[in-house]
Amino acid sequence: MNTDISSLEKIIKYKFKDINLLKKALTHPSYSGEMGLKRYESNQRLEFLGDAVLELVISEYLYKTHSETEEGELTRMRSSLVFEAALDVCARDINLGDFILLGKGENQCGGREKPSILSDTYEALIGAIFLDGGIDSAKSFIYEFLINDIDELTLLHDGKSIIQEYVQRFEGTSLRYETTDIESPDHMKKFRSELYINDKLITVGNGHSKKSAEQDAAILAIKKLQIGKN
């Protein structure tokens, strides 16, 4: 664990006026419980707030940049950016897991690598920035560390659909995944997924669930085949 949270401020390019907000954003319920604190002293309330701020900023961005897109499609696009896997990637990009305060049991079970914990803490961080610096500061953070990677993050949500639609364009072409467990501790299960087109191995993906491993293989195939760039 990295206890120098000032180094996190440097990574996120934001200096807190109230450092206690950042500390609370990093406090997982397992830690607050272990320390005898009230549940509201963990980061859950900030997570609730950050989720709302994130949806607002993303909604405004999509509304302004897709002026002719209908409501249903805007909703789908937003959901591809605010779901767990996308926020997990964003959290890892800023090494957020290194700074989270976890209870001993959660820490020993690999909590710093759990997508659910990382994504929740990322939302809590957004909530803390919003309270400390207002909507403009929160928006700057979201644009810098999420919207700038919008194309990549959208693939995390839609990768399997994109590769499926690509294959269906060619009559008689088949797509399949072969997904297996990788030997690993129960609390940190890992999976390997091989993506085949017409029985030819195209890519190999990895993830902490079968779904995420297949999604990873699909994303790699999209990039390898340059789908959407032709």
Side-chain angles (χ1 to χ4, degrees):
M1 178 183 171
N2 190 337
T3 58
D4 180 16
I5 58 176
S6 64
S7 62
L8 176 59
E9 290 181 303
K10 293 177 182 177
I11 294 172
I12 66 176
K13 303 177 184 179
Y14 182 78
K15 179 72 174 177
F16 276 82
K17 296 183 282 292
D18 181 359
I19 198 65
N20 289 320
L21 281 170
L22 176 56
K23 291 178 180 177
K24 180 173 283 191
L26 299 172
T27 302
H28 187 260
S30 64
Y31 180 86
S32 62
E34 194 172 276
M35 293 294 104
L37 304 174
K38 303 293 185 182
R39 284 190 67 83
Y40 62 76
E41 295 181 272
S42 73
N43 63 8
Q44 289 183 313
R45 283 165 50 85
L46 284 173
E47 174 199 337
F48 163 79
L49 178 61
D51 174 67
V53 173
L54 178 60
E55 285 218 0
L56 172 62
V57 173
I58 294 296
S59 297
E60 180 192 39
Y61 169 80
L62 293 174
Y63 181 85
K64 289 182 176 180
T65 57
H66 296 76
S67 59
E68 297 182 0
T69 302
E70 295 184 359
E71 180 268 344
E73 178 63 11
L74 289 174
T75 299
R76 186 200 65 77
M77 294 168 69
R78 183 179 63 195
S79 69
S80 73
L81 296 170
V82 298
F83 78 124
E84 183 179 286
L87 301 184
D88 172 40
V89 169
C90 293
R92 292 176 193 275
D93 285 345
I94 59 174
N95 300 320
L96 190 57
D98 294 346
F99 299 92
I100 302 174
L101 291 169
L102 293 171
K104 291 181 180 178
E106 191 64 70
N107 189 43
Q108 292 171 352
C109 289
R112 297 184 193 284
E113 292 294 320
K114 289 183 179 178
S116 59
I117 291 178
L118 288 169
S119 60
D120 288 350
T121 306
Y122 192 81
E123 289 181 327
L125 177 59
I126 291 172
I129 293 173
F130 170 74
L131 288 180
D132 191 73
I135 189 62
D136 287 340
S137 294
K139 185 182 294 188
S140 294
F141 172 80
I142 293 167
Y143 269 68
E144 175 78 17
F145 296 102
L146 193 155
I147 288 177
N148 282 346
D149 296 321
I150 193 168
D151 291 338
E152 190 77 14
L153 294 174
T154 299
L155 286 181
L156 287 173
H157 189 267
D158 298 331
K160 289 185 70 176
S161 297
I162 292 171
I163 193 70
Q164 181 69 44
E165 291 171 3
Y166 170 79
V167 168
Q168 289 176 343
R169 287 163 45 191
F170 305 98
E171 188 175 350
T173 301
S174 64
L175 167 70
R176 65 183 172 88
Y177 298 87
E178 289 189 3
T179 307
T180 55
D181 292 4
I182 298 175
E183 188 173 342
S184 54
D186 288 340
H187 63 270
M188 283 297 292
K189 294 294 291 182
K190 293 183 179 180
F191 295 84
R192 166 191 170 99
S193 182
E194 298 176 346
L195 185 153
Y196 293 85
I197 295 179
N198 285 344
D199 294 324
K200 177 182 178 181
L201 177 63
I202 304 299
T203 53
V204 178
N206 294 281
H208 292 296
S209 67
K210 289 184 177 181
K211 181 179 179 180
S212 63
E214 291 176 358
Q215 194 73 275
D216 187 43
I219 292 168
L220 292 173
I222 290 168
K223 293 177 180 178
K224 183 175 181 178
L225 300 173
Q226 296 187 312
I227 296 172
K229 295 184 179 181
N230 299 323

